[in-house]
Structure formats: C-alpha cells, structure tokens
Amino acid sequence: MDIRKNEFYKKWFKNAWTYVVGAILLSVFQIITLAVTGNPWGVSGVLANWGAWLYQAVGGSVDKWYYFSSEGAQKTLEAGFWNHGGSMRNLGIIFGALLATLFASQFKIKKIKSKKQVLAAVLGGLLMGYGARIGFGCNIGALYSGIASLSLSGWVFALFLFLGAMVGSKLLVKFFM
Amino acid sequence: MAEKIVDALGEACPVPLIKAQNAIKEMNVGDILILQIDHSCAMKNVPEWARKEGHNVEIEEVDDGEWEIIIEKVK
C-alpha cells in the first residue's frame, strides 16, 4: 500500500494542523512547562546562554558582564549546555520541526535569492535578539507566558509587537516588492 | 487565455501572497496564474485569499517542499 494515499498519514503527517489544534497544544505545553520547571516557557533567553557558551568556547569570558552577573546565571553557565533544561527544550523544538518536515517529505534547502535577503535576515535577527534581551523576553517569554501569567506586561508587549509588525510590513513591501 | 508564471521560490510570507495579488490585478478574466512557492505557509494564505476573491484554485506538489498554486482569474 502506498503510504502517501493513507488517510491517517495525510491527516497526521502531511497536511498542516489547524490553528486551533496548535493553540491547544501550545497551551498544554505551557501548563506542563510551568508545572514541571516552576517557570513559564521561554525561548530567547536560552539563546543568550548559547551565545555565552560559544564565546567561552573560543576563550572569551562573560564573568564581568552585567547580564550574567547574578548567581543563578553563573550557576547555569557553569553547569553547562547539557544540564540546562531550556537548551534541551530548544533543541527539541529544532529537531521536532525537522522531523515534522521530513515526515511530510517537505524538506528543502531553499535558495538565497538576493544579497538583500541576507542583509534583511541578519539585521532582523540582530534587532530581534537585542530587543528580546532588553525587553526581558521574546514573543514566547514576554508575550505568551506574560499574558498566560495574567501580567499586564504581556499586553503592553502585544501592543508594541503589533505596532512593530505594522512598520515591518510597510518596510517589507517597500524593499522586497 | 494567457498564462503567467510568477517565481516566488525562496520567498517567505507575505511576499508570495503580495506577488500573487499584484499579478492577478494586471491579468484579464480567464487568464491563469502559476505561482511557484517553497514556503508552506503560502500554501495556506494564497489559496485562502484567492478563493475568497472567487477565483478557481488548484495546488500541485511538484517536488519535496515545492508547490505550484494555479489560479484562474474568474472576475
């Protein structure tokens, strides 16, 4: 039997799940994360640690950096990558996403179309990373976990996220269309 | 009946959708637009928009992670 024609294969692996299914799953994972680790879900804070570990690997030191100055942050860095729950979760997200596209046989290495695309991606990544750190979180840690914790800050983040997206889409149409 | 191919390979949302909207604007009723994409989100938002506008839409999976959205301008 051709698995590509199987109803269950199509439903579970091939076709995209609906937004409602995604929302329910994210909520369940948020509840599990909070119950098991005692902290709400965050993604980009972990990446700051990855940066610190990479920097240490090439001989740098972040001991004097204000961002990593707390005892907790130092302990996390000393314990290392493999003992850091958030790092394992981020790895899981990356490998899970890869697995999902492989199961759907939709894996493709995309061409880079122009230098403009590279420049925009690098600029966007730097701005998002920097913004997420001085904003104490990204759209997961600050927005999603913030609102889920009944914190006003999550809603403030949402308002400015919306304004930023409006400016961003105007720039996108101006430079990429 | 003209046929127009628009290459949106390597482009992320919402570029494929805007490209399709701009192309359809300049086409005559009965013309066919073939939009080439490799961004799975565009497989959702492009057909959604085109069907809401009342056009005929078909999606073809041409390769792993690569699709052609075929839109016939109806009005």
Side-chain angles (χ1 to χ4, degrees), chain A residues 112-127 175-176:
Chain A
I112 295 168
K113 266 217 155 145
S114 61
K115 286 199 182 117
K116 219 162 52 171
Q117 240 182 7
V118 178
L119 185 74
V122 170
L123 268 179
L126 284 172
L127 281 173
F175 289 107
F176 280 94

Side-chain angles (χ1 to χ4, degrees), chain A residues 124-142:
Chain A
L126 284 172
L127 281 173
M128 279 199 292
Y130 187 69
R133 281 351 308 137
I134 60 169
F136 295 117
C138 56
N139 41 0
I140 306 300

Side-chain angles (χ1 to χ4, degrees), chain B:
Chain B
M1 255 188 283
E3 205 179 82
K4 190 175 181 185
I5 296 174
V6 171
D7 172 9
L9 295 170
E11 308 270 20
C13 288
V15 175
L17 176 65
I18 302 172
K19 275 194 168 172
Q21 288 172 334
N22 289 347
I24 283 277
K25 241 183 263 166
E26 284 161 20
M27 287 165 42
N28 298 314
V29 172
D31 288 357
I32 307 273
L33 169 69
I34 299 173
L35 182 73
Q36 301 170 320
I37 55 163
D38 57 7
H39 185 68
S40 61
C41 303
M43 214 177 27
K44 215 166 176 152
N45 63 21
V46 175
E48 227 170 64
W49 155 79
R51 289 196 178 111
K52 218 164 70 191
E53 293 285 304
H55 305 307
N56 292 329
V57 183
E58 250 177 70
I59 305 167
E60 229 172 277
E61 191 172 3
V62 289
D63 202 348
D64 283 359
E66 210 176 302
W67 301 270
E68 281 181 358
I69 303 179
I70 302 145
I71 304 171
E72 184 196 359
K73 183 163 176 169
V74 170
K75 58 177 186 187

Side-chain angles (χ1 to χ4, degrees), chain A residues 39-114:
Chain A
N39 285 308
W41 197 344
V43 173
S44 58
V46 174
L47 301 179
N49 287 347
W50 289 13
W53 282 317
L54 279 176
Y55 189 53
Q56 286 172 345
V58 295
S61 163
V62 297
D63 294 354
K64 298 281 176 313
W65 292 19
Y66 177 72
Y67 183 83
F68 296 106
S69 63
S70 78
E71 216 175 295
Q74 283 298 325
K75 262 198 189 134
T76 306
L77 286 180
E78 267 164 41
F81 177 79
W82 296 106
N83 292 312
H84 187 224
S87 292
M88 295 305 109
R89 181 173 53 215
N90 278 12
L91 271 192
I93 291 171
I94 293 164
F95 281 108
L98 174 65
L99 209 59
T101 82
L102 288 174
F103 278 152
S105 54
Q106 290 177 353
F107 183 79
K108 189 193 169 197
I109 294 175
K110 289 167 193 174
K111 277 191 306 233
I112 295 168
K113 266 217 155 145
S114 61

